[in-house]
Amino acid sequence: MNGIFHLRGRVKHYDWGGTIFIPGLLGIENPEKQPFAEYWMGTHHLGVSDVEISEGHYQPLPEITGTIEYLFKAQEVKQMLSIQVHPSKKSAEFEFARENKEGIPVDAPNRNYKDDNHKPELIVALSDFWLLHGFKPAEELHDILLNVPALRFLQSVFIEQGYAGMYKLVMEMPQEEVNRRLQPLLDEIIPAYTAGELDKDSEDFWAARAGVTYCDAHFIDRGIFSVYLFNIVKLKKGEGLFQDAGVPHAYLEGKNMEIMANSDNVLRGGLTRKHIDVKELMKHIIPEATFPDVLAGEVLSSGERVYRTTATEFELSLFELESGQTMEFQPAGAEMLLLAEGITAGSSGEKTILLQAGQPAAIVFPGAACSLTATEKSLVFRAVKPVHIRE
């Protein structure tokens, strides 16, 4: 099979999802304000996509391509979501086999490892996008521990035991002590949050939001510690960030495109109503300072903007098209396209399809050059498995 075809992905209705962006992509109404968190495109067994092989007739993507090494997503984060980390490839293989041997169903709510793959991931923002990303550098962390009274008890622990000892303490602390340590902090910051007095570049803003969202009179989520210990990163539209195995993170707010190795292995430690397993998270976390490397993307001579990472399974690029503009590329394998904004015609060989609200995604098979022609200002993302350096 070659040419270009519409691709039908799978919606994930997680409770942290937004209500506007993904329904808008898919051209559907959402009067009940149901959360649309992610739109998956790929061959992962938890969300297999379909190819429109002829008008109104679909075939599962794996029947055509086999397994595709990457999973491509559109995402809208309305509520902050879990403190999490992803395992390495070797660890994923071992732990997936272990849970299989223990007889835990792969779709069980207490299952940690849904497959045997790692999950390096890249996000590119479609709006202002806020996230937690890795531990603060030491100087910044010392400053926050000094200036937040509720966290001063961690100063000596950080000095004596470093990142690993400090994080182990707060993540394995008895719940009663978590409540006792954090309640005075929430009593101070939640009134300021509800009065609109806090800015999003402040740890207090996100900690207060977590307090309102995930805590009650008897339970304070220990993930609030991480809000102060991790870097707060704000991506502007078009900026990207890569997250490899072991880097702790949490998405806070905004819209993005996300691409990762073909996996759904997520180990959670707080700020979620999903399964939390602190022991598993601590086995895989890298307890060291992280210096966020925000990616602007490299603009090729063709005008395509490529976000390069160390991942071997995927590469993500962006076409920014003005009305009437055409760009061409040569697919080297099965490649996916996702229209984030506008209306664009995609052509390959003698076949042309329209990417628009309702049918925003396509898959392109090798064999003929592909062109994109915008009928209005458009953003089109291209997901590929890298085979060479494109110039």
Side-chain angles (χ1 to χ4, degrees):
M1 179 178 286
N2 57 40
I4 186 169
F5 299 84
H6 279 122
L7 186 70
R8 183 174 64 190
R10 290 288 182 268
V11 173
K12 298 292 182 176
H13 296 286
Y14 306 137
D15 60 5
W16 49 259
T19 59
I20 298 174
F21 171 52
I22 292 176
L25 279 183
L26 303 181
I28 58 179
E29 300 292 330
N30 187 23
E32 297 179 354
K33 304 299 182 183
Q34 185 179 13
F36 282 66
E38 297 180 336
Y39 186 63
W40 286 25
M41 292 155 282
T43 59
H44 195 279
H45 66 273
L46 295 178
V48 173
S49 297
D50 298 312
V51 179
E52 188 179 37
I53 55 176
S54 60
E55 187 172 357
H57 297 280
Y58 290 85
Q59 185 174 351
L61 180 58
E63 293 182 5
I64 301 172
T65 63
T67 298
I68 290 179
E69 291 189 39
Y70 58 83
L71 177 59
F72 188 27
K73 300 179 181 180
Q75 187 178 76
E76 183 179 13
V77 179
K78 185 177 181 181
Q79 296 181 10
M80 57 199 307
L81 59 128
S82 55
I83 303 296
Q84 60 186 258
V85 73
H86 307 305
S88 67
K89 174 65 173 171
K90 182 178 180 180
S91 294
E93 291 172 345
F94 175 83
E95 302 291 0
F96 179 71
R98 174 182 61 80
E99 288 195 333
N100 284 343
K101 187 176 181 179
E102 292 173 0
I104 304 173
V106 73
D107 59 350
N110 64 325
R111 178 91 187 204
N112 287 307
Y113 302 91
K114 307 297 180 63
D115 51 67
D116 63 356
N117 205 8
H118 64 163
K119 193 173 178 277
E121 57 193 17
L122 166 71
I123 58 172
V124 175
L126 289 171
S127 67
D128 286 350
F129 191 85
W130 298 86
L131 71 155
L132 303 177
H133 174 75
F135 287 98
K136 282 180 166 66
E139 185 175 346
E140 294 180 35
L141 188 53
H142 279 299
D143 185 66
I144 205 85
L145 297 181
L146 175 65
N147 289 291
V148 179
L151 303 182
R152 286 178 185 160
F153 77 101
L154 292 174
Q155 283 183 290
S156 60
V157 181
F158 182 50
I159 292 170
E160 296 170 6
Q161 301 179 37
Y163 290 97
M166 175 192 63
Y167 203 58
K168 177 180 173 65
L169 175 63
V170 298
M171 295 305 288
E172 297 181 359
M173 182 182 293
Q175 184 61 49
E176 294 78 9
E177 185 176 355
V178 173
N179 295 351
R180 179 174 60 83
R181 295 282 188 183
L182 292 179
Q183 189 64 62
L185 174 64
L186 294 184
D187 289 343
E188 177 184 353
I189 63 177
I190 286 179
Y193 171 79
T194 55
E197 298 172 355
L198 300 178
D199 295 326
K200 291 181 181 178
D201 59 359
S202 163
E203 289 85 359
D204 289 347
F205 177 94
W206 301 106
R209 177 172 285 186
V212 170
T213 305
Y214 293 112
C215 305
D216 58 38
H218 306 290
F219 172 83
I220 297 179
D221 195 307
R222 70 186 62 238
I224 290 172
F225 285 115
S226 297
V227 174
Y228 291 91
L229 305 180
F230 295 173
N231 295 296
I232 295 179
V233 179
K234 177 189 177 182
L235 299 178
K236 298 177 182 178
K237 184 178 180 179
E239 292 182 334
L241 192 67
F242 177 67
Q243 301 184 124
D244 211 341
V247 177
H249 58 280
Y251 294 164
L252 300 176
E253 183 181 277
K255 300 180 294 184
N256 71 68
M257 299 304 302
E258 186 178 31
I259 189 168
M260 63 207 65
N262 186 33
S263 175
D264 193 38
N265 285 328
V266 182
L267 306 168
R268 303 177 183 89
L271 304 186
T272 182
R273 295 184 179 90
K274 291 185 176 182
H275 176 58
I276 290 174
D277 194 324
V278 169
K279 179 181 177 182
E280 289 300 310
L281 178 137
M282 296 301 292
K283 282 167 59 175
H284 302 287
I285 200 167
I286 298 177
E288 63 184 27
T290 298
F291 298 84
D293 182 16
V294 175
L295 305 175
E298 176 186 350
V299 180
L300 308 183
S301 59
S302 64
E304 184 179 7
R305 182 180 299 272
V306 181
Y307 299 86
R308 301 199 191 279
T309 73
T310 57
T312 60
E313 295 89 351
F314 61 79
E315 185 175 86
L316 187 63
S317 61
L318 170 62
F319 296 96
E320 301 168 274
L321 303 173
E322 298 295 330
S323 179
Q325 185 178 3
T326 295
M327 284 191 180
E328 295 186 352
F329 63 92
Q330 184 72 44
E335 301 184 358
M336 297 181 196
L337 302 174
L338 193 283
L339 179 82
E341 297 176 8
I343 300 175
T344 292
S347 300
S348 181
E350 298 180 355
K351 186 175 178 62
T352 298
I353 63 172
L354 197 61
L355 299 178
Q356 59 185 334
Q359 289 188 308
I363 187 161
V364 186
F365 297 103
C370 183
S371 66
L372 299 172
T373 303
T375 57
E376 61 184 50
K377 188 172 183 178
S378 300
L379 294 180
V380 183
F381 285 85
R382 176 190 181 193
V384 309
K385 175 177 170 57
V387 292
H388 58 273
I389 299 298
R390 289 186 281 146
E391 299 178 346

